[in-house]
Amino acid sequence: TVDWLGGYVQGAYSTGPLSAYGMGGLTSMKYSYQDHFTVADEVIKADAIITTQFKGGAMYDIDDNVSLFGNFGIVEKPPIMDNVIYYDGTVASDPANVRFISSEAGVNYSSGIGAVRLSAYSTDWNDRNLAKSVTSGQGSSGDTDVIFLTGVNQNHSGLELEASMQVIDMLRLDAAAGLGTWKFVDDATGNYQEYTETGTEQTTYTYALKDLFVGDMPQTSMALGMTLNHIAGLSVQALFNYYDKNYSD
């Protein structure tokens, strides 16, 4: 079971060309586990895990057409239950929270016929926990082992561009592009959990992840769109999407 309790406060401020906001939150999460397949039917409980989050941002209007903005946040996420209470019932002594440290800055431009938004971002994803299945090929059907990775650190940084233009009353053009570099920062430690005839065995290894690209998400993307509104209540749209640097996970 998962017992969750949390709360947050937030606020906003605006004066003249400047507007700002901020929030803070606190969460308590507690895991418990009962193995009904054992004679003892024991209930295993872990201590509560406390996480915090802080976010803030501001925007400044230089004039009626141009504004600058920036955001910053530090967010913690509790580890998954598998990294707190292990398969054999052992409870982790001091499980690390996943921590996100993100920052973004950019500029907005708007005019009577169009708008452009350009931003740069950087996110450090620290102490991430990952579970990966591995097909060992053993047995008649091929057993599947599991690797529980801890202490995975990543950095996601890049540029993003969005633009739109109302060429004429019946024609609108849209474009977007994202150029990112997402990499693993360090190697990680992982427990290789192997299922055998006598039970479960775990072996600790260090996995070479440093400078590898993060997979399962394209790091380069582009989109073009054209929308026609010739008849009231009817629109026709054409879209073109392009993705690159999509690495295996």
Side-chain angles (χ1 to χ4, degrees), residues 39-52:
V39 177
D41 204 21
E42 181 183 3
V43 177
I44 301 170
K45 296 182 179 181
D47 293 335
I49 300 172
I50 304 298
T51 61
T52 59

Side-chain angles (χ1 to χ4, degrees), residues 18-34:
L18 176 66
S19 58
Y21 76 94
M23 68 83 62
L26 183 70
T27 300
S28 173
M29 184 170 291
K30 189 174 183 180
Y31 295 116
S32 62
Y33 165 72
Q34 186 173 9

Side-chain angles (χ1 to χ4, degrees), residues 83 86 146-150 189-193 202-205 207:
N83 290 109
Y86 302 128
V146 181
I147 301 174
F148 293 104
L149 293 170
T150 59
T189 301
N191 292 323
Y192 189 103
Q193 185 169 285
Q202 287 193 0
T203 308
T204 301
Y205 295 100
Y207 293 85

Side-chain angles (χ1 to χ4, degrees), residues 130-184:
L130 296 175
K132 298 293 183 181
S133 60
V134 178
T135 301
S136 63
Q138 302 296 321
S140 58
S141 60
D143 294 335
T144 299
D145 300 332
V146 181
I147 301 174
F148 293 104
L149 293 170
T150 59
V152 179
N153 298 326
Q154 300 174 354
N155 176 264
H156 299 193
S157 59
L159 298 172
E160 293 182 340
L161 173 67
E162 299 176 12
S164 62
M165 183 177 183
Q166 192 73 42
V167 183
I168 56 178
D169 289 342
M170 60 177 289
L171 176 61
R172 173 188 170 98
L173 299 178
D174 293 278
L179 304 175
T181 301
W182 305 348
K183 285 187 173 184
F184 290 93

Side-chain angles (χ1 to χ4, degrees), residues 8 47 65 73 88 92 97 103 106 115 168 183 195-196 218 224 238 249:
Y8 69 93
D47 293 335
N65 303 109
D88 60 359
N97 290 327
S103 58
I168 56 178
K183 285 187 173 184
Y195 299 96
T196 66
L224 297 174
D249 188 18

Side-chain angles (χ1 to χ4, degrees), residues 50-171:
I50 304 298
T51 61
T52 59
Q53 58 175 313
F54 301 97
K55 299 177 184 178
M59 177 176 288
Y60 184 83
D61 296 325
I62 296 177
D63 54 34
D64 293 338
N65 303 109
V66 181
S67 61
L68 304 176
F69 66 90
N71 302 298
F72 179 77
I74 301 176
V75 179
E76 291 182 332
K77 177 184 176 183
I80 61 175
M81 186 172 183
D82 288 336
N83 290 109
V84 178
I85 302 177
Y86 302 128
Y87 181 82
D88 60 359
T90 303
V91 178
S93 58
D94 188 19
N97 290 327
V98 182
R99 171 173 286 197
F100 308 86
I101 303 175
S102 63
S103 58
E104 180 189 22
V107 57
N108 291 322
Y109 171 80
S110 62
S111 66
I113 63 171
V116 178
R117 173 188 172 100
L118 176 64
S119 63
Y121 67 89
S122 178
T123 300
D124 290 317
W125 197 345
N126 298 327
D127 288 321
R128 187 182 180 188
N129 299 313
L130 296 175
K132 298 293 183 181
S133 60
V134 178
T135 301
S136 63
Q138 302 296 321
S140 58
S141 60
D143 294 335
T144 299
D145 300 332
V146 181
I147 301 174
F148 293 104
L149 293 170
T150 59
V152 179
N153 298 326
Q154 300 174 354
N155 176 264
H156 299 193
S157 59
L159 298 172
E160 293 182 340
L161 173 67
E162 299 176 12
S164 62
M165 183 177 183
Q166 192 73 42
V167 183
I168 56 178
D169 289 342
M170 60 177 289
L171 176 61

